[in-house]
């Protein structure tokens, strides 16, 4: 059994969570903080495996380690292993995303991959949606605009810039999501050298934020 101090601490913290998963009889009519704590306390005392199944995702790594003394219980062991695997998967996903972001920053610095011409070639439909239907700018020949056809829309220069920025952001998000054909995402996700780029960017962002607040 878990030490009572651990049970009390976990029950008190989780009982305060607004979206705590509760049995139907407690959800009906609302449950007071005391009833929530009593429910969690009984569960921790008598069925820690069920507690982990229902509420394990709310625990911190340090809180999960408090259950190590119960690993002889098959159900407890099963859910602790499952929670550890989920945490590891989340960490791996975060590392992969950071590496893709670092690689994308390299591509943007080089200039070609995220140029308007190359993005248009990769995704002509998106280009048309954001930019292709509205290109008339101040000073443009009105006759040329008229020749563009009935689908042509005249917009301000500011709107054109907003559309271009939205197109670029969409293409960046597609890259990060692994949707660009021909990109070796497996190699990028496994490239530990990109971690240095990411760390440098984080440091630069922190310095920029510091001086901006100064």
């Amino acid at each position: 059994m878990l030490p009572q101090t651990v049970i009390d601490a976990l029950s008190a913290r989780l009982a305060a969570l607004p979206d705590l998963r509760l049995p139907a009889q407690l959800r009906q009519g609302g449950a007071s903080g005391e009833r929530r704590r009593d429910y969690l306390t009984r569960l921790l005392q008598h069925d820690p495996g069920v507690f982990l199944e229902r509420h394990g995702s709310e625990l911190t790594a340090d809180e999960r380690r408090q259950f190590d003394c119960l690993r002889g219980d098959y159900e407890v062991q099963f859910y602790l292993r499952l929670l550890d695997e989920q945490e590891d998967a989340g960490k791996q996903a975060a590392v992969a995303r950071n590496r893709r972001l670092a690689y994308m920053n390299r591509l943007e610095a080089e200039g070609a991959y995220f140029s308007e011409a190359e993005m248009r070639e990769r995704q002509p439909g998106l280009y048309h949606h954001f930019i292709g239907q509205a290109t008339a700018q101040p000073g443009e020949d009105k006759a040329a605009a008229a020749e563009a056809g009935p689908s042509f829309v005249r917009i301000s220069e500011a709107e054109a810039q907003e559309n271009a920025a939205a197109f670029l952001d969409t293409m960046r998000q597609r890259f990060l999501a692994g949707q660009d054909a021909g990109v070796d995402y497996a190699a990028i996700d496994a490239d530990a050298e990109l971690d240095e780029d990411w760390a440098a960017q984080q440091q630069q962002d922190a310095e920029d934020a510091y001086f901006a607040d100064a």
Side-chain angles (χ1 to χ4, degrees):
M1 182 174 169
L2 291 169
Q4 190 61 43
T5 54
V6 172
I7 292 175
D8 291 343
L10 291 176
S11 298
R13 189 180 76 77
L14 268 63
L17 297 177
D19 55 350
L20 180 68
R21 178 183 171 189
L22 295 170
Q25 62 268 30
L26 286 178
R27 292 198 305 270
Q28 295 172 355
S32 66
E34 183 177 357
R35 290 185 66 196
R36 285 169 165 241
R37 286 193 300 274
D38 288 345
Y39 152 72
L40 292 165
T41 296
R42 289 195 301 272
L43 204 57
L44 283 163
Q45 289 174 336
H46 303 296
D47 208 338
V50 173
F51 173 88
L52 289 171
E53 186 272 329
R54 293 181 183 175
H55 309 297
S57 60
E58 304 287 357
L59 301 179
T60 67
D62 287 340
E63 288 172 336
R64 287 204 308 274
R65 279 193 284 273
Q66 299 293 335
F67 289 80
D68 285 348
C69 62
L70 302 178
R71 283 187 179 270
D73 181 300
Y74 172 80
E75 194 172 14
V76 169
Q77 172 79 352
F78 173 83
Y79 285 113
L80 286 176
R81 184 184 299 114
L82 180 62
L83 291 166
D84 288 343
E85 290 173 353
Q86 291 173 345
E87 182 179 51
D88 289 343
K91 290 179 180 178
Q92 291 172 4
V95 168
R97 180 174 176 81
N98 291 344
R99 289 174 179 174
R100 290 182 188 185
L101 182 58
Y103 191 83
M104 184 179 72
N105 288 340
R106 287 185 183 180
L107 292 176
E108 288 188 300
E110 293 169 0
Y113 190 81
F114 284 100
S115 67
E116 183 174 298
E118 290 211 12
M119 291 191 296
R120 178 180 184 176
E121 183 175 348
R122 290 199 301 276
Q123 290 295 326
L126 284 175
Y127 176 86
H128 180 72
H129 173 74
F130 284 103
I131 297 175
Q133 300 182 72
T135 57
Q137 299 298 318
E140 184 176 8
D141 189 326
K142 292 184 179 180
E147 291 175 0
S151 64
F152 185 85
V153 179
R154 181 176 293 278
I155 62 174
S156 68
E157 187 172 357
E159 289 174 312
Q161 291 175 350
E162 289 178 2
N163 289 349
F167 178 49
L168 174 59
D169 182 65
T170 299
M171 295 299 289
R172 294 174 86 251
Q173 294 305 317
R174 283 181 56 85
F175 179 87
L176 293 175
Q179 297 175 340
D180 277 6
V183 175
D184 190 349
Y185 285 103
I188 294 172
D189 295 349
D191 188 354
E193 292 184 2
L194 290 168
D195 295 341
E196 296 182 9
D197 289 20
W198 170 249
Q201 183 62 50
Q202 287 288 87
Q203 178 65 27
Q204 184 62 53
D205 290 346
E207 291 177 0
D208 291 345
Y210 174 81
F211 288 113
D213 294 338

